[in-house]
């Protein structure tokens, strides 16, 4: 359901994609609205019950509190599943496609967190975020009137040659940050969990699949904002595929 729902957040969704998203939204609404009603009747120690207790202290209107918790639960699931699953699959692909860097990480596991950051920079789970201007403003010399929709290209910013040397090269040794988790009041609250999950997965892949290689090029869903790999065929055999020529900064 989450794969279908996020079409509505795409840069230029087609009518058919919007229809798919609308159908998924109805199903998700039914599920999470029922979940909130159930936790309201029988609260426990789960996050939804805790959110209800918090919102009851902030919002005297019970219906509005329930609505706020519904949207929060929906947002957490959409944001966590879509972005983290995409990060993990992209990471497996990029690491397997760079066998020398993969070998370095096996010998230097302390560098795994840095490799996760390079994956986030090189091909982030979300390439585009959308904002609406609250006031008239000028951004990078461009006048943006109030209420104008602005699409921010995070992936392009992460490949800015003014900020990164050879930005087109995947290099786990980079020490420069990225914008993949946003910034300011919009900084991703799930960033620490996503980093922890990615670090755990990469650590396990390096340990359990010593001959990990990509068997054929991955396939991608027709999306721009929320990246999604639909197929990634790998093999645990060093001879499954001859790796491409290493880049000048490839370890």
């Amino acid at each position: 359901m989450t794969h279908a729902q996020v079409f509505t957040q795409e840069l230029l969704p087609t009518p058919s994609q919007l229809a798919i998203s609308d159908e998924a939204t109805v199903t998700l609404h039914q599920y999470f609205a029922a979940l909130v009603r159930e936790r309201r009747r029988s609260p426990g120690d789960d996050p939804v019950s805790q959110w209800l207790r918090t919102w009851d202290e902030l919002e005297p209107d019970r219906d509005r509190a329930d609505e706020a918790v519904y949207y929060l639960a929906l947002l957490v699931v959409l944001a966590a599943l879509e972005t983290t699953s995409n990060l993990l699959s992209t990471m497996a692909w990029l690491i397997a496609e760079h066998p020398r860097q993969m070998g370095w990480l096996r010998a230097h596991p302390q560098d795994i967190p840095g490799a996760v950051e390079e994956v986030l920079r090189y091909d982030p789970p979300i390439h585009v975020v959308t904002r609406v201007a609250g006031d008239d403003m000028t951004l990078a010399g461009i006048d943006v009137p109030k209420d104008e929709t602005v699409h921010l290209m995070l992936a392009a910013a992460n490949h800015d040659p003014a900020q990164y040397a050879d930005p087109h090269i995947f290099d786990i040794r980079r020490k420069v940050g990225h914008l993949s988790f946003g910034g300011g009041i919009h900084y991703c609250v799930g960033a620490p969990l996503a980093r922890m999950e990615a670090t755990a997965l990469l650590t396990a892949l390096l340990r359990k699949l010593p001959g990990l290689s990509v068997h054929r090029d991955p396939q991608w869903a027709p999306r721009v904002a929320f990246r999604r790999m639909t197929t990634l065929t790998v093999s645990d055999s060093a001879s499954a595929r001859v790796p491409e020529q290493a880049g000048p900064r490839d370890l």
Side-chain angles (χ1 to χ4, degrees):
M1 284 296 112
T2 59
H3 294 326
Q5 198 280 336
V6 295
F7 274 123
T8 193
Q9 302 175 57
E10 276 302 304
L11 183 60
L12 295 172
T14 65
S16 61
Q17 289 174 334
L18 289 176
I20 293 172
S21 180
D22 288 344
E23 183 178 352
T25 299
V26 171
T27 301
L28 289 169
H29 178 270
Q30 293 172 345
Y31 175 82
F32 284 105
L35 177 62
V36 171
R37 289 194 300 269
E38 173 60 27
R39 293 298 182 266
R40 175 66 75 185
R41 289 191 299 266
S42 180
D45 294 330
D46 57 282
V48 174
S49 298
Q50 295 175 8
W51 293 338
L52 284 170
R53 286 190 284 268
T54 299
W55 273 97
D56 284 346
E57 296 177 359
L58 300 172
E59 175 57 69
D61 188 314
R62 185 65 60 84
D63 290 338
R64 290 187 175 182
D66 287 358
E67 182 182 38
V69 172
Y70 155 74
Y71 280 116
L72 179 58
L74 177 62
L75 174 64
V76 167
V77 170
L78 289 175
L81 289 181
E82 284 298 306
T83 56
T84 304
S85 62
N86 296 337
L87 166 62
L88 298 181
S89 58
T90 300
M91 179 181 66
W93 167 55
L94 287 173
I95 295 299
E97 282 284 76
H98 295 81
R100 294 182 184 178
Q101 298 195 49
M102 183 165 55
W104 173 270
L105 291 175
R106 285 198 177 94
H108 304 84
Q110 68 273 15
D111 289 344
I112 289 177
V116 171
E117 297 304 312
E118 175 64 354
V119 172
L120 285 162
R121 181 204 70 85
Y122 188 83
D123 193 350
I126 297 180
H127 278 204
V128 184
V129 295
T130 301
R131 298 287 182 261
V132 177
D135 294 296
D136 294 337
M137 62 184 67
T138 300
L139 294 176
I142 304 298
D143 292 331
V144 180
K146 181 181 179 180
D147 296 328
E148 184 78 4
T149 299
V150 179
H151 300 292
L152 309 175
M153 313 300 289
L154 297 181
N158 284 344
H159 283 251
D160 183 357
Q163 300 296 324
Y164 306 95
D166 299 322
H168 60 290
I169 293 177
F170 180 75
D171 183 0
I172 61 173
R173 298 174 299 177
R174 289 186 193 273
K175 303 300 181 183
V176 184
H178 54 77
L179 298 176
S180 299
F181 286 126
I185 62 173
H186 295 290
Y187 188 79
C188 177
V189 297
L193 178 58
R195 286 185 166 111
M196 182 179 68
E197 291 175 314
T199 298
L201 175 66
L202 183 51
T203 300
L205 284 177
L206 294 172
R207 183 178 69 253
K208 297 182 178 182
L209 301 176
L212 179 65
S213 61
V214 178
H215 191 63
R216 61 175 60 93
D217 291 336
Q219 295 179 339
W220 303 86
R223 305 193 320 199
V224 177
F226 279 78
R227 294 276 280 170
R228 184 193 172 204
M229 190 181 297
T230 58
T231 302
L232 177 62
T233 305
V234 298
S235 172
D236 186 23
S237 172
S239 62
R241 180 182 178 187
V242 178
E244 296 180 0
Q245 181 68 31
R249 295 176 63 184
D250 200 322
L251 291 171

